[in-house]
Amino acid sequence: MIEVLVAALSDIEPLVDLEAALFREDAGPHDPYADTTWPEREGRKDFGLLAGYATRSSSKRQPIEYAVLRTMYVASAARRQGVAAMLARHFLDWAGQRGCAEAHVDHYAANHGAAELYERCGFSVRSVSRVCQL
């Protein structure tokens, strides 16, 4: 049985390893300017934060709190077992318990698996970001 646990400081090294794999497998192929070495250099400091977080909306929106799923990665050996959906549901439960009105997540447009996962979990497309390489 797979269980979702809250990470502790002792989990930072494995989290950095997972984020490095995410950058290699997702950012690297989908973003020519992604710095795939960033997790090894900065990840330890970055994981002093959360993989997801709650924040207040900007002044351009009504004053609500929303949660942002910053990164999610499932090791290849654990894929196709419902782990990503379980992690997403856990994140959404966490956000709801904190009174967030919305949850947000970004993914690369070319990552069709991520799009399908997030749609199954209840996320819908609200805005689209476009890039023009010069």
Side-chain angles (χ1 to χ4, degrees), residues 14-29 36 39-40 73-76 79:
L15 288 171
V16 168
D17 292 343
L18 289 170
E19 188 161 58
L22 172 66
F23 271 57
R24 283 190 307 274
E25 292 178 30
D26 197 29
T36 58
E40 287 90 358
Y73 178 79
V74 176
S76 58
R79 291 182 187 157

Side-chain angles (χ1 to χ4, degrees), residues 31 105-110 125-132:
D31 184 349
V105 66
D106 291 329
H107 66 84
Y108 289 105
V125 176
R126 177 180 291 161
S127 62
V128 176
S129 173
R130 298 191 180 269
V131 175
C132 181

Side-chain angles (χ1 to χ4, degrees), residues 10-85:
S10 60
D11 298 316
I12 287 178
E13 290 304 317
L15 288 171
V16 168
D17 292 343
L18 289 170
E19 188 161 58
L22 172 66
F23 271 57
R24 283 190 307 274
E25 292 178 30
D26 197 29
H30 297 122
D31 184 349
Y33 301 109
D35 179 359
T36 58
T37 65
W38 181 88
E40 287 90 358
R41 286 192 330 275
E42 304 293 334
R44 286 157 196 81
K45 290 185 276 185
D46 195 48
F47 273 110
L49 306 171
L50 300 170
Y53 60 91
T55 186
R56 287 202 182 280
S57 60
S58 71
S59 61
K60 296 177 251 172
R61 300 186 74 212
Q62 295 178 11
I64 62 164
E65 294 216 2
Y66 62 94
V68 178
L69 179 55
R70 198 189 73 191
T71 62
M72 182 167 59
Y73 178 79
V74 176
S76 58
R79 291 182 187 157
R80 304 285 180 223
Q81 299 177 40
V83 174

Side-chain angles (χ1 to χ4, degrees), residues 78-97:
R79 291 182 187 157
R80 304 285 180 223
Q81 299 177 40
V83 174
M86 184 184 307
L87 289 169
R89 281 193 300 275
H90 188 79
F91 169 75
L92 293 170
D93 289 345
W94 172 86
Q97 291 167 6

